[in-house]
């Protein structure tokens, strides 16, 4: 079958990536979607069960830092679009193993950019998915795309460094890059190290929500479907060389978040909610909030469609319906996979 467009998604088995891949495969049967992922601990093949047998979907198990593999993909496939999501993202872990974050987030981006730029078939778009954390924290200033980048932890520092690499290919070669910076994204299938699934997992196993520190931390939460629609809109209407914030007006203090989830999961009266909260020591150098404006994206026609009440309802229900999703992985269907070594010798 001939396809009108070939899209490479790195990190497509992760939380956001799997939602993006499923959307692309379902919405565009005339596009070929290639997912490159090494299936790290926070990824699950289950996330893509709904599309794994589709004719327009291919999974390559491999590392974005593997230059030989990445070059082979670009030399044998006519890649038109790259969505680069593969990254290490857990802030606490970044303090423990900063070199790993440097390798994956910066070196992986460098390998991908180099291969894409040198490919005989030149891509039309390279969309780099970054984070609001590159701005650093703010109590009152709202960040727009021209605000200075001041990352405050090893994770966000590597994302900022990768952004500079991506932008350098635009500045030097006019390689068609676009950068997105999004608020916290939540929804079904998110790994349990992130705050919402962490709280839900604790509550479902009759443990208290562990709230870090006593400072008034809050986060802006964007439902994953709205994030995916933003990425797809940027692909079609975004201006190359530009940065787009993907933001939400939904800001929730972490303590309030915990209280809401206690009420939803445990169904206890207000007087008993605090019994399900436990305050634990804070992580090093915590940022209180990341306020951003996304007027630039809204001018392209994007609007947040899923309100907090509906998004969190869907999310809680999914975790209640899938309590064992992250406990044990099923046998992986190898018939749908090219591993990194196989991919070097097979064109498909």
């Amino acid at each position: 079958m001939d396809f009108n467009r070939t899209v490479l998604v790195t990190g497509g088995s992760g939380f956001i990536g799997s939602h993006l891949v499923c959307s692309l495969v379902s919405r565009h049967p005339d596009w070929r979607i290639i997912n490159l992922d090494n299936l790290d601990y926070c990824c699950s093949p289950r996330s893509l069960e709904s599309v794994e047998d589709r004719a327009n979907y291919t999974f390559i198990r491999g590392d974005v830092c593997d230059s030989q593999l990445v070059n082979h993909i670009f030399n044998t496939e006519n890649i038109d679009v790259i969505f680069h999501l593969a990254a290490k993202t857990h802030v606490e872990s970044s303090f423990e193993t900063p070199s790993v974050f440097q390798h994956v987030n910066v070196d992986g981006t460098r390998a991908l950019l180099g291969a894409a730029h040198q490919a005989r078939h030149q891509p039309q778009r390279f969309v780099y998915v970054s984070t609001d954390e590159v701005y650093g924290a703010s109590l009152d200033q709202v960040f727009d795309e021209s605000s200075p980048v001041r990352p405050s932890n090893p994770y966000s520092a590597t994302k900022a460094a990768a952004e500079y690499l991506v932008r350098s290919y635009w500045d030097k070669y006019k390689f068609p890059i676009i950068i997105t910076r999004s608020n916290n994204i939540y929804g079904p299938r998110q790994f349990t190290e992130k705050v919402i699934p962490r709280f839900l997992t604790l509550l479902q196993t009759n443990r208290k929500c562990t709230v870090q520190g006593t400072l008034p931390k809050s986060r802006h939460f964007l439902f994953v479907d709205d994030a995916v629609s933003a990425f797809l809109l940027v692909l079609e209407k975004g201006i190359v060389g530009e940065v787009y914030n993907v933001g939400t007006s939904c800001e929730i203090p972490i303590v309030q978040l915990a209280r809401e989830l206690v009420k939803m999961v445990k169904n206890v009266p207000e007087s008993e909610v605090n019994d399900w909260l436990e305050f634990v020591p804070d992580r090093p150098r915590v940022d209180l909030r990341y306020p951003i404006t996304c007027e630039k994206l809204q001018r392209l026609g994007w609007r947040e469609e899923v309100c907090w009440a509906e998004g969190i309802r869907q999310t809680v229900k999914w975790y209640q319906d899938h309590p064992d999703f992250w406990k044990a992985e099923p046998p992986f269907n190898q018939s749908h996979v090219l591993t990194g070594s196989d991919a070097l010798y097979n064109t498909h």
Side-chain angles (χ1 to χ4, degrees):
M1 177 177 177
D2 292 329
F3 295 103
N4 296 332
R5 181 180 254 183
T6 299
V7 179
L8 173 66
V9 180
T10 71
S13 297
F15 164 52
I16 303 170
S18 65
H19 282 271
L20 175 61
V21 166
C22 289
S23 179
L24 286 166
V25 170
S26 300
R27 292 189 194 185
H28 299 285
D30 57 332
W31 293 6
R32 185 174 179 212
I33 312 303
I34 301 175
N35 170 18
L36 173 63
D37 199 298
N38 68 350
L39 292 183
D40 201 355
Y41 72 94
C42 56
C43 301
S44 173
R46 293 176 175 180
S47 296
L48 292 155
E49 284 178 341
S50 65
V51 299
E52 66 179 7
D53 292 323
R54 299 285 285 271
N56 64 329
Y57 174 64
T58 299
F59 174 54
I60 299 175
R61 184 171 187 174
D63 191 340
V64 72
C65 299
D66 183 346
S67 295
Q68 188 181 9
L69 170 61
V70 173
N71 284 327
H72 177 79
I73 293 171
F74 280 93
N75 288 335
T76 56
E77 307 288 351
N78 293 330
I79 305 295
D80 299 300
V81 172
I82 303 101
F83 283 102
H84 181 28
L85 289 86
K88 302 285 278 186
T89 64
H90 194 217
V91 173
E92 289 179 68
S93 298
S94 75
F95 282 99
E96 298 166 4
T97 57
S99 61
V100 174
F101 280 69
Q102 165 80 19
H103 179 59
V104 175
N105 297 355
V106 181
D107 295 342
T109 301
R110 181 186 298 113
L112 193 65
L113 281 167
H117 174 247
Q118 294 168 13
R120 55 176 177 76
H121 179 84
Q122 279 294 287
Q124 303 159 2
R125 291 291 184 274
F126 184 108
V127 180
Y128 179 67
V129 177
S130 191
T131 170
D132 59 358
E133 292 197 40
V134 299
Y135 293 117
S138 172
L139 292 179
D140 48 16
Q141 178 190 1
V142 177
F143 299 120
D144 63 22
E145 292 82 356
S146 65
S147 298
V149 171
R150 293 171 178 162
S152 60
N153 58 65
Y155 158 62
S156 56
T158 59
K159 293 295 284 186
E163 280 194 22
Y164 281 116
L165 268 176
V166 171
R167 185 177 291 279
S168 73
Y169 273 71
W170 166 252
D171 292 338
K172 184 171 177 61
Y173 305 114
K174 289 296 179 273
F175 188 66
I177 65 95
I178 295 174
I179 295 170
T180 67
R181 296 170 180 158
S182 59
N183 281 145
N184 279 37
I185 298 171
Y186 75 99
R189 305 201 301 266
Q190 189 170 31
F191 186 62
T192 54
E193 69 186 5
K194 304 300 184 182
V195 64
I196 291 176
R198 178 165 63 88
F199 285 167
L200 290 175
T201 302
L202 288 169
L203 291 170
Q204 286 177 308
T205 53
N206 288 317
R207 290 178 289 171
K208 297 180 180 182
C209 292
T210 51
V211 181
Q212 295 177 326
T214 56
L215 294 174
K217 294 184 294 293
S218 65
R219 292 293 180 263
H220 293 75
F221 289 102
L222 178 69
F223 192 63
V224 65
D225 290 354
D226 284 329
V228 167
S229 69
F231 300 149
L232 298 180
L233 180 65
V234 162
L235 170 63
E236 300 303 332
K237 294 186 178 181
I239 300 172
V240 294
E242 293 292 322
V243 177
Y244 292 91
N245 285 345
V246 186
T248 171
S249 58
C250 175
E251 181 177 11
I252 299 183
I254 299 301
V255 173
Q256 179 184 330
L257 169 67
R259 293 176 64 86
E260 284 191 33
L261 294 179
V262 168
K263 292 176 187 177
M264 295 178 75
V265 175
K266 307 309 292 186
N267 195 28
V268 296
E270 183 73 30
S271 59
E272 296 180 19
V273 168
N274 287 343
D275 296 340
W276 290 93
L277 305 184
E278 179 183 357
F279 290 88
V280 299
D282 218 334
R283 68 192 189 198
R285 186 58 197 274
V286 64
D287 294 334
L288 296 184
R289 59 194 299 263
Y290 302 105
I292 62 175
T293 178
C294 57
E295 293 177 4
K296 188 174 176 181
L297 180 64
Q298 290 171 341
R299 288 196 293 270
L300 297 183
W302 181 82
R303 293 293 183 273
E304 187 177 1
E305 300 290 340
V306 183
C307 69
W308 169 253
E310 175 58 21
I312 198 62
R313 185 197 67 78
Q314 289 185 33
T315 302
V316 170
K317 184 178 187 307
W318 186 89
Y319 282 93
Q320 289 173 330
D321 292 345
H322 301 83
D324 299 323
F325 187 85
W326 289 110
K327 288 183 180 177
E329 289 301 330
F332 194 51
N333 189 344
Q334 293 292 331
S335 66
H336 297 288
V337 179
L338 287 179
T339 64
S341 57
D342 292 337
L344 291 176
Y345 305 104
N346 289 274
T347 309
H348 57 291

